[in-house]
Amino acid sequence: MTVYDKYHLKQVINASGKMTILGVSKLAQPVIDAQKFGDEHFFEMADLVKKTGDHLDQLLGAEDAIVINSASAGIAEAVAALIGAGSKYHAYHPYDARYTKREIVIPKGQNVDYGTPEEVMINVGGGQVVEAGYANMCSPEHLDMVITDKTVGVLYVKSHHAVQKSMLTVEEALTVAHHHALPLILDAAAEEDMQKYIEMGVDIIIFSGAKALAGPASALIFGKRQYIEWVRLQSVGLGRAMKIGKENILGLTKAIEDYLAEGPESGDQMKARLTPFLTGLNQVPYVDAKQVQDGAGRDIYRASVVIKPDSPKNAKQVTAELKAGNPAIYTREYRANVGIIEFDIRAVDAAEMTAITQRLHEILD
């Protein structure tokens, strides 16, 4: 009996991407082995946290680093760290009214819901959200004009979820923040290049461990030493509810070692794997498929499927039927309302691509 059988679960073909709702990533055996060692041994946990952080900051060229349990926790802990500025009293009393500087500035188009709204994690950390700009644009000037003497930091969200057009760049946000002697927190949860933001001078960088890095449920916060030390202090405060296990610390550390050595699947490799998949998709009635690049500019290529207007079923109906089967087929359905479905193949093999094409035939033939 498999786990699927035991708990009456459907199998899943993940053509959606590195998504939390599907368990994010499959782990390579060396990462599983590192987790297993953690499962089978004891450690002085404070020492494990510090020493793995020291090891990773040397690999990355950052001043400091710390493994935590999720990118969401990273936002909350980073916000709390900036408000408390190293105060242990604050760590014990994170919402005390004596701490009046709590404003976190974020472009309006980046206050997105990625499974929970960014503002929820800002609030958990004790921050007060101040939105800059408008739903369709944010310039450096928009950011600059809302900063006050109550502002403790700027949060920039580098994500496909966020508004892309007419949006200031990370570099521009960093320039504005540093002009006001404020740190920039970068939510780069699903980004792939870990070192470019260090070279850029970003103060606090948050990467999900389970997305591009293909590690276990975890995250890495890295950047300027003072701020990371303040984050580390949160383990005796609100970070206690967000603690990470020894096995996942070791698992992520190994995943990052391997990621830096080998890198992710390249765009050219994805394009090569996409070619036969696109050929098969274009043989499905009412389907027009082509290759597209990730909307946020990452070196990720996907199959974009337009469900033609004369189709007996629209894109929303197609995605619903794909998910209803067993195996359930999950896609990127952000634009299904305008007839477009995307298939992310990073976690999809050739046999699963064939299964997707066959299922589309069943739905649309």
Side-chain angles (χ1 to χ4, degrees):
M1 179 180 289
T2 69
V3 169
Y4 292 109
D5 296 327
K6 181 177 180 180
Y7 298 114
H8 307 291
L9 300 169
K10 289 195 292 187
Q11 295 188 43
V12 172
I13 294 176
N14 179 8
S16 180
K18 304 293 186 80
M19 297 298 178
T20 300
I21 62 167
L22 301 177
V24 196
S25 290
K26 293 179 181 178
L27 305 188
Q29 192 60 49
V31 176
I32 295 171
D33 291 342
Q35 286 186 282
K36 185 173 183 290
F37 187 88
D39 283 327
E40 295 174 343
H41 296 83
F42 294 111
F43 304 87
E44 294 175 326
M45 288 301 294
D47 207 33
L48 178 66
V49 169
K50 185 66 174 69
K51 296 293 176 57
T52 52
D54 290 345
H55 174 64
L56 290 171
D57 68 42
Q58 290 176 33
L59 288 179
L60 290 165
E63 291 183 15
D64 204 350
I66 179 173
V67 177
I68 59 169
N69 80 334
S70 69
S72 290
I75 298 167
E77 293 189 50
V79 168
L82 297 184
I83 295 168
S87 165
K88 198 164 189 179
Y89 178 87
H90 171 269
Y92 290 152
H93 306 89
Y95 308 118
D96 193 306
R98 74 183 66 183
Y99 295 95
T100 57
K101 292 184 64 173
R102 293 184 175 274
E103 292 179 359
I104 298 292
V105 172
I106 179 174
K108 181 183 285 288
Q110 294 181 2
N111 188 7
V112 295
D113 186 333
Y114 59 87
T116 191
E118 292 280 340
E119 65 184 37
V120 170
M121 290 300 108
I122 295 171
N123 293 335
V124 168
Q128 296 170 351
V129 175
V130 175
E131 293 183 339
Y134 301 92
N136 65 334
M137 68 173 68
C138 183
S139 68
E141 183 183 16
H142 290 138
L143 202 67
D144 181 78
M145 68 175 60
V146 298
I147 292 173
T148 72
D149 60 357
K150 303 296 184 185
T151 306
V152 291
V154 176
L155 174 62
Y156 191 103
V157 182
K158 189 74 172 69
S159 170
H160 67 278
H161 290 299
V163 170
Q164 304 298 320
K165 69 175 186 177
S166 302
M167 181 61 62
L168 79 170
T169 64
V170 177
E171 295 95 329
E172 289 171 331
L174 185 66
T175 297
V176 174
H178 285 184
H179 175 73
H180 290 273
L182 294 169
L184 180 74
I185 304 170
L186 179 65
D187 176 358
E191 285 294 286
E192 297 192 323
D193 189 335
M194 300 189 75
Q195 290 164 309
K196 74 176 181 180
Y197 299 118
I198 299 170
E199 295 164 1
M200 199 181 290
V202 175
D203 304 283
I204 302 173
I205 306 159
I206 304 168
F207 261 66
S208 169
K211 292 197 167 96
L213 306 181
S218 57
L220 186 73
I221 305 184
F222 55 107
K224 304 290 179 62
R225 177 167 290 109
Q226 180 184 61
Y227 300 122
I228 306 307
E229 287 175 349
W230 293 352
V231 170
R232 197 174 286 113
L233 178 61
Q234 301 312 306
S235 65
V236 301
L238 59 86
R240 178 69 177 182
M242 307 169 184
K243 65 184 179 183
I244 184 171
K246 58 192 190 305
E247 66 287 342
N248 283 16
I249 293 173
L250 291 172
L252 178 59
T253 302
K254 178 59 178 169
I256 292 174
E257 289 174 349
D258 293 348
Y259 183 82
L260 292 175
E262 301 167 10
E265 180 182 15
S266 72
D268 286 342
Q269 290 170 319
M270 273 181 256
K271 291 176 188 177
R273 292 202 299 120
L274 270 171
T275 299
F277 185 39
L278 290 169
T279 299
L281 288 172
N282 278 315
Q283 293 171 2
V284 178
Y286 310 107
V287 160
D288 184 9
K290 65 179 181 179
Q291 172 189 291
V292 294
Q293 187 175 1
D294 173 67
R298 293 175 294 174
D299 193 27
I300 297 170
Y301 294 85
R302 304 186 177 99
S304 176
V305 166
V306 174
I307 304 299
K308 296 178 181 179
D310 60 340
S311 169
K313 295 175 183 176
N314 62 37
K316 284 189 172 183
Q317 291 170 316
V318 171
T319 58
E321 291 196 36
L322 286 171
K323 287 188 288 189
N326 190 6
I329 299 171
Y330 276 75
T331 65
R332 299 175 74 82
E333 52 188 88
Y334 304 116
R335 295 195 291 162
N337 63 311
V338 292
I340 300 171
I341 308 166
E342 288 188 4
F343 295 83
D344 188 308
I345 64 164
R346 285 176 292 171
V348 180
D349 61 26
E352 290 174 325
M353 291 183 200
T354 298
I356 291 169
T357 304
Q358 290 174 344
R359 183 70 183 117
L360 285 170
H361 275 289
E362 292 169 5
I363 293 169
L364 291 171
D365 270 354

